Amino acid sequence: MRIDIITVLPELLEGFVRESILGRAQKKGLVEIHLHNLRDYATNKYRRVDDYPFGGFAGMVMQCEPIDRCISALKAERDYDEVIFTTPDGEQFNQPMANTLSLCENLIILCGHYKGIDYRIREHLITKEVSIGDYVLTGGELAAAVMTDAIVRIVPGVIGDEQSALSDSFQDNLLAAPVYTRPADYKGWTVPEILLSGHEAKIKEWELQQSFERTKALRPDLLKKKD
Ligand code: 6GU
């Protein structure tokens, strides 16, 4: 899978995409993440990519031309499954959306900034508008990072233990059960007895019961979504 991220702040995402699980996934050849500086596609000598809005509103608006040039250059090289725009008024990002997007071959994520982008880009080039929650960020970069992380980690082979991505919180609308490691007794804080029993079936049952109880207590809304 390949993800192309278009941004005015590539430095902000540089470390993120090269490190940790994303970095390893790329070294293993499972994913490619490319950052594109939108200013490289400006045609003026000041590398400006925004301008004042028509109508005399406050703030600045990202112009059509650099975005169109960048997306066109990418599309000339390969077909894209989606051209995503990160924006607070987009569809809410969630685990099912991450699952669907992780099956894509090529994705473009355009990071929103300033007051917004010229609406014609959204009408003509964007295929999916996504928000990561009901709050406003200064730019779409953190949203793009959140989405990229959630999408890439479930690409087969990215997480060593194939099981662990499937038993995550939200993967089946249940919160994950608590986990523990050695020592079994730390300062008198003990691990549930059942986990030390070696009884696999009973441990599975305990885990599921814990998941249900935690979901009922903390996120009852998720149980309504569950079939
Ligand atoms: Cl995708 N962008 C911005 N700027 N703010 C947000 C967001 C996106 N999702 C939630 N808040």
Side-chain angles (χ1 to χ4, degrees), residues 86-89 112-116 131-140 142-143:
T86 60
T87 176
D89 57 5
H113 231 259
Y114 308 115
K115 195 162 188 279
S131 162
I132 61 164
D134 288 341
Y135 39 81
V136 179
L137 304 168
T138 52
L142 288 173

Side-chain angles (χ1 to χ4, degrees), residues 46-97:
Y46 307 104
R47 311 216 315 148
R48 281 198 66 159
V49 294
D50 62 348
D51 205 338
Y52 295 97
F54 283 124
F57 303 107
M60 302 298 277
V61 177
M62 282 161 78
Q63 294 170 290
C64 284
E65 193 185 25
I67 297 171
D68 182 33
R69 290 183 69 216
C70 182
I71 292 176
S72 297
L74 290 170
K75 282 183 172 174
E77 297 295 322
R78 65 197 68 78
D79 290 331
Y80 283 91
D81 301 275
E82 299 280 7
V83 182
I84 298 166
F85 175 53
T86 60
T87 176
D89 57 5
E91 184 187 345
Q92 165 94 53
F93 187 64
N94 56 17
Q95 190 63 53
M97 199 193 292

Side-chain angles (χ1 to χ4, degrees), residues 87-146:
T87 176
D89 57 5
E91 184 187 345
Q92 165 94 53
F93 187 64
N94 56 17
Q95 190 63 53
M97 199 193 292
N99 293 350
T100 304
L101 292 173
S102 77
L103 299 173
C104 292
E105 207 56 53
N106 300 305
L107 295 174
I108 291 174
I109 304 179
L110 170 64
C111 300
H113 231 259
Y114 308 115
K115 195 162 188 279
I117 63 172
D118 192 306
Y119 203 77
R120 289 168 290 186
I121 291 293
R122 296 170 69 165
E123 289 174 316
H124 296 285
L125 296 179
I126 299 300
T127 63
K128 194 172 184 66
E129 303 191 326
V130 184
S131 162
I132 61 164
D134 288 341
Y135 39 81
V136 179
L137 304 168
T138 52
E141 282 73 19
L142 288 173
V146 165

Side-chain angles (χ1 to χ4, degrees), residues 34-45:
H34 296 268
L35 299 175
H36 306 276
N37 189 341
L38 189 60
R39 292 186 202 286
D40 293 344
Y41 296 84
T43 48
N44 58 81
K45 69 175 175 184

